[in-house]
Structure formats: C-alpha cells, structure tokens
Amino acid sequence: MSRAFDIEKYLGRRREQIERALDKVVPAGKNDGGISAAMRYSLIGGGKRLRPILCLAAAETFGKPAAHFVQFACGIECIHTYSLIHDDLPAMDNDDMRRGKPTLHVAFSDAVAILAGDGLLTLAFELMAGRGLKGAEAARRLEALSVVSRAAGFRGMVLGQALDIYYEDREIAPAMLKTLHTNKTAALIEASVVSGSILGQAPSHTLKPMKQFGRSLGLAFQIVDDLLDATGDEELVGKQLGKDGSKATYPSLFGVEGARLLARRETDAALNSLKRVKQDTSVLRAIAEYALNRSY
Ligand code: GRG
C-alpha cells in the first residue's frame, strides 16, 4: 500500500459497491403492503457503511477478494439498519430524523417500521448464510455467521440497548458505561472485523488481535458518536443532536476534552493491536483514523 493511499476514495468506492448490492437484496415489490418500500427507504442511499466496509477490508487484509463477501457484508448492514429503525421508535429513542431524512416510523408508521426492522434482521441471516457466497466454504461461513449473530443479540447489541434504557434515569459508573457502549456499538463493529477475517481465512493467531482492534475501534466510534451529539453539526450528522441530554455519555461523564482523549486512547489501542498482525493493515489503520476524525 503506497503512502499516497486515499482513504476517502477507498471508502467512496466501497460504499458504492455496497450500495449497488443493497439495491438488489431488497427489490421494490408490488402488492406487498409497502414492506419492501419501507425496508428500501431505510436501507438504501445513506449511512457510512462502516461495518460492511470493515468486514470487506478485514477479508482483504488476508489476501481474499472483497467482492466474494459483499453479500455477507450486506447482511451486517441490514442488522445495523434494523437497529437504527428500532432505536428511533417512540418507545425507544423517539427520533424524527436519521441519515438526513425523516425516520421510518415518521415517514410510514410505527407498525411498518417495526416490521421493516424485523424484515431486515431476518434477511440478514438469509444473506450471511446464503448460497450465493463465493470463496468461503460452509464451515467458515457458519463460524462467521455465528460471530455476527452473537454480537447482534442479547449478549451484544441488544444487551447494550437494554442497559442504555435501564440507565437512562439512573446513575452509571464509568466501568458500566464502557460495558454499555461496548455491547451497544462495539460488539457489531468487532464482529464485522472478526467475521471478515474468518471469511478471509485469517491465520488463527491473528483473530485475537483483530478482535481487539475491532472492539477498541468500536468503542472509539461510540465515544465520537457521543461527542458529535454534544458538539457536532446537525446538518452533517443528519439527525437531531443534543438528544443524549438525559443519558450518561462519555462527554457527560468525562467532559468534552476528556472524551476526546479517551477516543484517541481507544484508537491507539486499536492501532497497537494491529502490530501483532504481520499482513498489510494500512487500510484498517486508515479506517480507524477516519472513524476518530469524522464529522458525521
Ligand atoms: C430489539 C426492539 C429491539 C430493538 C433493537 C439493538 C437496538 C434496538 C439498537 C442498537 C443500538 C444502537 C442504535 C446503537 C447505536 C450505534 C451507533 C453509533 C449508530 C450510528 O451508527 P453510524 O454512525 O450510522 O455508523 P450510519 O447512519 O452512518 O450507518
């Protein structure tokens, strides 16, 4: 990888590749009660696509072509999109804007948004288990699928969301805030990196550092998300900011400067983990720096 590597260009290319694939996984349907339109409304044309990009970049790190795993990576993006749809519902965070447009329940209805989330979550497993997947034999595919399933469920993202709700009006210690963020956000990011590594036939001794890379990157990503909520530009972020007011966040516990320092520290921890991987990790490093310095 040359020193002139342009991360923005790389991310743009990968986003387009994922966007094209997502467009096909939920085709516009007819006489379906509007479910495909609702799923497409949230899934297509927005979002940074960080999780699928990490999955593909991890597979590429171990020399396997990203194109073989786009379908699997789309599955991860479907899980992420479902979580945003359900998180935005009135019974959860009650958000009106997401990815620069009205949230799904505002544009359609609560019932349709719940169903569209369910549709995307189940579609994710169909895609990740899918027969169309090239370059990974069934055992690897199953292992990667199991890593993502665990991270998305009650020992990962759903647990994080439950803790988030539980601590909304309770005091939270810094260690519990870290547990909450690790599960709510870092678990799926970590699983994106680990599943991509597994699909890319990473040597087994590299899986631990890749996992640590994903976890630290995921935690840094959530701290930056908190910082953007406190100090970001609403138009760039594409949703209403300052809504975390009643929640425990890194800036509310450590101050804005303290949270910035912690995000830098977690990013450095992520980069340090990669020192134990002999393959060329420059793309993953560049993604970690991008995630830290992003403005949306
Ligand atoms: C099970 C009913 C039920 C609901 C599930 C699991 C869950 C609700 C919500 C997950 C928690 C969640 C939404 C975490 C937020 C993580 C986060 C930082 C989201 C923003 O991710 P970005 O910035 O978004 O990658 P884009 O729009 O770029 O894809």
Side-chain angles (χ1 to χ4, degrees):
M1 190 61 52
S2 83
R3 252 181 282 134
F5 174 66
D6 184 340
I7 183 65
E8 292 288 351
K9 214 163 157 185
Y10 172 86
L11 293 173
R13 251 192 314 117
R14 284 274 169 260
R15 260 180 220 128
E16 278 169 27
Q17 184 180 27
I18 291 157
E19 205 74 39
R20 279 196 302 274
L22 287 173
D23 190 43
K24 291 195 189 114
V25 299
V26 185
K30 277 191 206 144
N31 301 323
D32 64 358
I35 189 65
S36 61
M39 287 164 73
R40 286 176 63 83
Y41 178 89
S42 288
L43 189 63
I44 320 277
K48 292 178 282 298
R49 314 303 192 192
L50 174 78
R51 295 152 190 82
I53 290 175
L54 277 169
C55 176
L56 299 181
E60 270 192 321
T61 298
F62 298 99
K64 298 292 170 296
H68 287 185
F69 309 117
V70 172
Q71 180 180 318
F72 190 97
C74 284
I76 298 178
E77 185 65 13
C78 286
I79 294 179
H80 169 60
T81 305
Y82 121 82
S83 81
L84 299 180
I85 295 170
H86 282 193
D87 188 53
D88 288 337
L89 284 167
M92 299 251 181
D93 265 8
N94 195 18
D95 274 305
D96 289 345
M97 292 293 288
R98 167 73 67 184
R99 291 177 169 173
K101 57 186 187 183
T103 44
L104 187 59
H105 67 271
V106 169
F108 289 68
S109 69
D110 290 6
V112 168
I114 291 168
L115 281 174
D118 295 340
L120 286 168
L121 178 60
T122 43
L123 173 64
F125 295 100
E126 184 185 327
L127 293 173
M128 291 187 291
R131 279 178 299 153
L133 218 58
K134 289 185 219 131
E137 72 276 25
R140 266 179 207 287
R141 207 186 306 159
L142 199 61
E143 198 186 337
L145 171 57
S146 141
V147 163
V148 177
S149 311
R150 186 182 170 104
F154 79 101
R155 284 161 296 190
M157 186 170 68
V158 171
L159 166 64
Q161 182 76 349
L163 292 173
D164 199 35
I165 292 167
Y166 180 83
Y167 281 106
E168 207 158 312
D169 42 25
R170 289 177 170 87
E171 251 190 67
I172 187 166
M176 181 49 86
L177 181 65
K178 187 171 180 179
T179 301
L180 189 163
H181 279 2
T182 299
N183 283 288
K184 187 175 87 162
T185 305
L188 190 60
I189 291 179
E190 174 190 311
S192 305
V193 173
V194 175
S195 61
S197 305
I198 292 167
L199 293 170
Q201 297 179 27
S204 55
H205 69 273
T206 61
L207 288 180
K208 195 168 171 199
M210 291 300 279
K211 185 177 162 79
Q212 283 165 346
F213 165 75
R215 177 164 296 209
S216 295
L217 164 63
L219 198 50
F221 187 83
Q222 180 58 56
I223 300 173
V224 172
D225 196 74
D226 284 356
L227 279 163
L228 288 174
D229 188 76
T231 65
D233 177 322
E234 202 154 281
E235 213 163 304
L236 275 178
V237 180
K239 63 176 187 178
Q240 194 192 336
L241 299 181
K243 282 205 73 226
D244 287 351
S246 63
K247 283 190 179 182
T249 64
Y250 272 81
S252 71
L253 251 65
F254 300 100
V256 167
E257 281 318 309
R260 281 207 179 108
L261 200 69
L262 286 170
R264 178 71 256 176
R265 235 183 250 168
E266 283 301 333
T267 304
D268 288 342
L271 298 175
N272 275 332
S273 305
L274 293 181
K275 287 186 182 150
R276 286 185 283 140
V277 178
K278 279 208 304 288
Q279 283 74 6
D280 181 355
T281 55
S282 48
V283 173
L284 295 174
R285 290 173 182 277
I287 295 176
E289 289 291 350
Y290 155 84
L292 176 69
N293 296 313
R294 67 202 171 94
S295 49
Y296 68 98

